[in-house]
Amino acid sequence: MFLAMRGAVEAALADALAALDLPTDDLGIEEPPADVDAVLASSVAFRLAGEVGAPPPEVAADVAAEIDPDEYDYVGDVVTEGPYLNFLPSARYDADALDAARRADWGRLEPRDESVVVEHTSANPTGPIHVGRARNTIVGDAIANVLDRAGYDVERHYYVNDAGRQIATLAWAYETIDEADLPEPERDRPDYDLVRYYRKGNEILEEGDEDEIEAAEDEIRSIMQGLEAGDEDAYERVSEVVDRMLDGMQGTLDRLPARFDEFVKETRFMRDGSTGDVVERLRETEQAVYEEDAWQLDLEAFGIEKNLVFTRSDGTSLYPTRDLAHHEWKFDNFDRAVTVLGEDHELQADQLAAALELLGNDTDQLSQVFYGWVNLPEGGMSTRKGTGIDLDDLLDEAIERARGEVEARMEDRIRDDDLTDADVDRIARQVGIGAVRYDIVAKQPTKTITFEWDRALDFEAQSAPYVQYVHARCCGILDEADDVPDDVDVGALEREESIDLLRTIARYPGVLESAAAALEPHGVATYTREFAETFNAFYRECPVLAADDPDVRAARLALVAAARRTVAAALETLGVEAPESM
């Protein structure tokens, strides 16, 4: 309804401006402040005042006079407030919104004929996923969810670095080091098993004797050159450790959860010849230079001071070279490509985009979303040295802390549904992991954040539990009701708090569309906080089951059903579970 009304407002303004012989290129449509009784507003009078030669309020009045609300869907009235035109909804808008928000497909927009591949996480398969990578996964998964629910045909990809020096080091270490020389794994999972070899291998490379280091370097170099030459033995050696490592890492991803449609390996683009093709084409560009025994791209014309090295002195390709082939494959198979990257990769991203353009690609297909660091009071993180904080550890602590919060509130629960130990375990997992995801995705990605337990798990503040509790409260009301009537009189929602909640519910498709267009899932998180505040005001002021008037009771029950579906859809878009009981 919101999107349909916005389309009607666009048409009404365009028609009115055309009738006044005024330009229609910028209609100035926006959402009004909360205290304005309108769904949409327009500031177009500001832009036109100079051209018309009249003050903005006078221009706004002239434009409003040209609009007949009866000609446009869901527009009940157009009123001016100074220089603004405010568009009020019709009764049909409210009725249709209440009906639509109770349907199973609420929270999904119409399918679009556009495919999008979202690449995120893509952590090197050398050890368990650590907290430093959590924001990439959480933001990337939420972006994919937003695009999917906005109607795009979405695939989620994890790009696997299985051709670099780190992986060759892991393969050599796994084949060489005796397990008896290693500590016990921290968890019974392949990634925790294999990371011991990787750490010990790096220790040897840094602190071993000269002959030991030289032999190791020769073997690591041999593996890398074998991969470049298409040697099947080298590929199988690397695949053995990479596939086992990914299997273990998936255990952590499943806990969030974050699912992938495909794990795309770097070696794929070496083995099919596309990396070699990229190298040859790059050499033919005017920007190609041979310096310091390596082929490089001089990208100064793109405002990039640092050259992009695309082959080593021994002729082997580098990660950026293979990533160029990877992106050309994306462009061939998808309409758009979205990549989520840490802020420390901005230079590489600029180099990649410039090189893709030099290769003749339409880089408008590519969107790169950058995120800042997540800091923890515990300090720094480093998988290689084994001093980092694994994401599994963070999730374990989140669940345990959430369990404490849930158990502390057991005596204050209003709902008469006895929770079993299994129920408490489930709620602790939903709340704990939800708190981690929500706290991270709710922030603008480019801002560095510090994760704080007290804030993330505060049931009273604007956190995941605060929003999740709204869903649980809706479920409790609906469970106590005998049934929710299909046909209700929306006019029975006479209280301001009821109308505010209904209009907030109706806004959700517009929130979803905007988040998808901007690749900003934190916009959905902001909406959920506003939604929770609006619902809580309704809950305080508008009795539902105890309403005296049967029509009012039925309408409020329908509103609660619409609220439950809306908050569940929004939370699920963020990757946060919506508990039925808390």
Side-chain angles (χ1 to χ4, degrees), residues 443-522:
K443 310 297 191 302
Q444 189 173 347
T446 53
K447 292 183 178 179
T448 298
I449 61 174
T450 298
F451 185 83
E452 298 174 358
W453 290 113
D454 291 344
R455 180 191 63 209
L457 286 167
D458 189 341
F459 280 60
E460 308 301 327
Q462 294 184 335
S463 60
Y466 177 70
V467 180
Q468 288 174 312
Y469 195 74
V470 168
H471 183 267
R473 178 164 274 166
C474 288
C475 291
I477 293 170
L478 296 172
D479 285 346
E480 288 188 42
D482 294 332
D483 66 323
V484 181
D486 291 330
D487 296 321
V488 298
D489 178 13
V490 74
L493 298 173
E494 79 295 347
R495 289 292 299 262
E496 178 183 352
E497 294 83 4
S498 298
I499 299 303
D500 286 348
L501 180 57
L502 179 55
R503 301 274 168 82
T504 302
I505 289 169
R507 280 177 47 218
Y508 181 59
V511 171
L512 186 59
E513 184 179 74
S514 296
L519 300 177
E520 293 181 346
H522 64 275

Side-chain angles (χ1 to χ4, degrees), residues 245-276:
M245 186 69 79
L246 288 174
D247 181 58
M249 295 166 75
Q250 185 67 60
T252 305
L253 296 170
D254 286 344
R255 297 182 69 188
L256 282 171
R259 67 173 183 82
F260 292 89
D261 296 297
E262 189 171 354
F263 286 79
V264 182
K265 292 183 176 180
E266 265 190 289
T267 49
R268 170 179 184 165
F269 305 104
M270 301 167 71
R271 292 159 65 83
D272 68 7
S274 56
T275 298

Side-chain angles (χ1 to χ4, degrees), residues 112-117 152-155 330 333-337:
R112 308 168 191 251
D113 186 22
E114 187 171 346
S115 61
V116 186
V117 57
Y152 295 92
D153 181 11
V154 177
E155 280 200 21
K330 289 184 186 181
N333 288 278
F334 301 92
D335 297 317
R336 288 175 57 197

Side-chain angles (χ1 to χ4, degrees), residues 1 3-20 27 29 40 63-78 85 87-93 96:
M1 265 38 68
L3 296 178
M5 182 173 176
R6 191 174 68 190
V9 169
E10 290 171 355
L13 283 169
D15 292 344
L17 295 180
L20 295 169
L27 301 176
I29 296 174
L40 291 164
V63 174
E66 289 291 332
I67 299 174
D68 179 359
D70 293 339
E71 295 182 4
Y72 303 97
D73 287 344
Y74 299 131
V75 178
D77 199 3
V78 184
L85 290 94
F87 291 82
L88 279 63
S90 63
R92 181 185 158 207
Y93 175 88
D96 285 0

